[in-house]
Amino acid sequence: GAFIAPTGTRSSPSCGHRTSASQQTFRLFSSAALASSATDTADDVVETSVNALLEKRIPQEAAKFKIVTCSATACCKKRKAFQMDDLATFGAMFGRIQESGLPVQVEETTCLGACKYAPSIGVQHEDYHGTVALEGMTQMEFDSSTFHNVVTEEDADRVWEAVQNSIVVMASSDE
């Protein structure tokens, strides 16, 4: 699955406000699956039911995720060395979230502890303390539960794809 392992301990869910995503959100995940064929078979009915369930669960699960971008000194200096704006990492994640329509939060945070590999990004889930490790991270990133050297658009895409995959996997789980 895409959501591999929390690095912290499980906590009780917070009672935060949830925003609902528009139907447009699900174009990313289910437009091909929802296309109807001329004949309804049992497989089509099951597939449609699963997709209807995912359409409800994906925004609910997405609202549990928060992407945190490091704004500590080392990350700021590294962005400047790459001639990046102070908010470039934050902006890259914010833009991807806005495009998706998913209710994922993004915030700046203090040091994530990966100063050697700045600029860094962490991902939090409301059911866990601290940042979580996701499929799509390198082994070093997985060990520190932090994405390292997020400098290019491709780096930001990799972070966002890992978050999206985790949302879909968790929304699809039977828990």
Side-chain angles (χ1 to χ4, degrees):
F3 187 79
I4 299 298
T7 57
T9 56
R10 194 157 198 169
S11 68
S12 57
S14 65
C15 298
H17 172 71
R18 300 282 177 252
T19 48
S20 60
S22 67
Q23 291 293 77
Q24 182 180 3
T25 299
F26 306 103
R27 190 173 24 167
L28 293 171
F29 303 106
S30 62
S31 62
L34 291 177
S36 61
S37 62
T39 59
D40 283 333
T41 65
D43 287 343
D44 291 337
V45 172
V46 169
E47 187 174 324
T48 301
S49 297
V50 167
N51 282 308
L53 182 61
L54 279 176
E55 283 189 19
K56 180 180 176 187
R57 285 188 173 176
I58 286 173
Q60 292 170 348
E61 194 59 45
K64 296 178 182 180
F65 282 83
K66 182 190 305 181
I67 298 172
V68 290
T69 63
C70 183
S71 62
T73 304
C75 287
C76 288
K77 284 183 177 181
K78 192 67 151 280
R79 276 191 286 272
K80 285 195 186 303
F82 283 113
Q83 299 180 341
M84 297 169 68
D85 181 84
D86 287 342
L87 296 173
T89 312
F90 176 88
M93 293 295 97
F94 183 81
R96 284 158 177 79
I97 291 168
Q98 291 299 107
E99 285 178 29
S100 75
L102 293 171
V104 175
Q105 299 173 53
V106 62
E107 292 180 2
E108 284 192 297
T109 190
T110 57
C111 185
L112 291 169
C115 302
K116 266 179 139 171
Y117 310 106
S120 59
I121 294 178
V123 178
Q124 298 174 343
H125 187 279
E126 74 176 24
D127 292 345
Y128 301 94
H129 291 287
T131 56
V132 294
L134 303 178
E135 186 174 290
M137 290 179 153
T138 66
Q139 187 60 52
M140 280 183 23
E141 290 173 336
F142 190 88
D143 292 344
S144 68
S145 298
T146 310
F147 288 94
H148 300 158
N149 301 310
V150 182
V151 177
T152 67
E153 289 297 315
E154 291 78 20
D155 297 332
D157 287 342
R158 184 173 65 88
V159 173
W160 179 239
E161 287 169 14
V163 172
Q164 281 185 309
N165 290 337
S166 298
I167 292 167
V168 172
V169 167
M170 292 201 61
S172 302
S173 73
D174 293 329
E175 295 183 325

